[in-house]
């Protein structure tokens, strides 16, 4: 753990809309060469082992850009914050460090736009990984799953809402949102 320096964390899923950890700053950010996909199974938050839900992970894709949120975490609380996040993301995610593009803060002056940031990735070799499936299949799974943290649908809808709030496009997320709302309609 680096002493005396703020650390950046990138959130692209529930960490966008449920940042239940101490942070000094929250800023829109994006990562190049990665795309967000509902390909990770959730057996501890939005599903159960017998009926996993689906949550997001980042998948490498040349030319893609994934929008999310960067959090600046103070060094004094970093050990505690990352221990809690490692626990929260324990269902298949690894903590990695990658270059992150921060949205410019006009008030902050010439701060570096690209920073090293920690983030949680679920790769294809973890036991909960589900991988790709047709959009209607993913939507139906999200609609019907529920786990200790609540309905899987809430996860998708809150993610879509947060991305809209920051004017961030993500066709995978918005297409899934449209499909679950269609499936749910009477
Ligand atoms: C993240 O939000 O950055 C990781 C995945 C999740 O917890 O939804």
């Amino acid at each position: 753990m680096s002493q005396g320096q703020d650390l950046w964390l990138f959130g692209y899923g529930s960490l966008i809309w449920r940042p239940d950890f101490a942070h000094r700053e929250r800023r829109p950010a994006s990562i190049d060469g990665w795309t967000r996909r509902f390909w990770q199974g959730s057996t501890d938050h939005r599903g159960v082992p017998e009926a996993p839900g689906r949550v997001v992970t980042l998948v490498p894709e040349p030319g893609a850009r994934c929008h999310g949120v960067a959090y600046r975490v103070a060094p004094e609380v970093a050990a505690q914050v990352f221990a809690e996040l490692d626990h929260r993301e324990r269902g298949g995610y690894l903590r990695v460090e990658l270059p992150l593009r921060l949205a410019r803060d006009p008030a902050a002056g010439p701060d570096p736009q690209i920073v090293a940031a920690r983030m949680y990735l679920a790769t294809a070799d973890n036991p909960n990984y589900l991988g790709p499936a047709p959009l209607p299949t993913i939507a139906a799974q999200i609609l019907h799953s529920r786990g200790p943290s609540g309905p899987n649908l809430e996860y998708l809808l809150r993610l879509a809402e947060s991305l809209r709030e920051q004017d961030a496009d993500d066709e995978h997320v918005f297409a899934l949102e449209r499909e679950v709302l269609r499936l749910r309609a009477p």
Side-chain angles (χ1 to χ4, degrees), residues 20-83:
D20 57 357
F21 52 87
H23 53 277
R24 283 186 157 150
E25 184 185 345
R26 179 184 193 278
R27 237 208 261 192
S30 59
I31 181 163
D32 290 337
W34 297 84
T35 192
R36 179 176 15 233
R37 290 287 179 263
F38 271 83
W39 289 2
Q40 172 64 6
S42 176
T43 58
D44 58 350
H45 283 296
R46 301 289 166 172
V48 290
E50 315 78 65
R54 275 190 181 253
V55 290
V56 289
T57 185
L58 290 177
V59 177
E61 188 181 294
R65 176 170 290 180
C66 175
H67 294 274
V69 168
Y71 298 95
R72 193 156 57 86
V73 177
E76 312 84 63
V77 298
Q80 166 88 18
V81 164
F82 284 100

Side-chain angles (χ1 to χ4, degrees), residues 16 18 41 45-46 59 72-73 76 97 101-102 104 106 113 117 129 141 156 171-172 178:
I16 296 184
R18 192 163 69 86
H45 283 296
R46 301 289 166 172
V59 177
R72 193 156 57 86
V73 177
E76 312 84 63
E97 193 168 282
R101 180 184 299 276
L102 300 177
R104 277 256 180 245
Q113 210 185 354
Y129 188 78
Q141 189 171 354
L156 168 62
E171 186 45 31
H172 176 71
R178 284 195 297 277

Side-chain angles (χ1 to χ4, degrees), residues 32-170:
D32 290 337
W34 297 84
T35 192
R36 179 176 15 233
R37 290 287 179 263
F38 271 83
W39 289 2
Q40 172 64 6
S42 176
T43 58
D44 58 350
H45 283 296
R46 301 289 166 172
V48 290
E50 315 78 65
R54 275 190 181 253
V55 290
V56 289
T57 185
L58 290 177
V59 177
E61 188 181 294
R65 176 170 290 180
C66 175
H67 294 274
V69 168
Y71 298 95
R72 193 156 57 86
V73 177
E76 312 84 63
V77 298
Q80 166 88 18
V81 164
F82 284 100
E84 285 171 11
L85 287 173
D86 288 354
H87 181 75
R88 168 171 163 176
E89 304 294 330
R90 68 192 179 285
Y93 290 88
L94 293 174
R95 172 148 52 86
V96 299
E97 193 168 282
L98 291 169
L100 183 69
R101 180 184 299 276
L102 300 177
R104 277 256 180 245
D105 175 359
D111 54 346
Q113 210 185 354
I114 306 287
V115 295
R118 296 176 174 199
M119 61 200 75
Y120 290 87
L121 273 189
T123 51
D125 53 4
N126 84 83
N128 292 333
Y129 188 78
L130 296 174
L135 198 89
T137 308
I138 298 181
Q141 189 171 354
I142 291 173
L143 187 58
H144 297 117
S145 300
R146 159 184 288 275
S149 298
N152 205 172
L153 181 61
E154 179 196 27
Y155 180 106
L156 168 62
L157 297 183
R158 293 198 71 173
L159 177 58
E161 187 183 301
S162 307
L163 293 175
R164 258 194 303 275
E165 273 167 18
Q166 67 183 69
D167 266 336
D169 196 15
D170 190 319

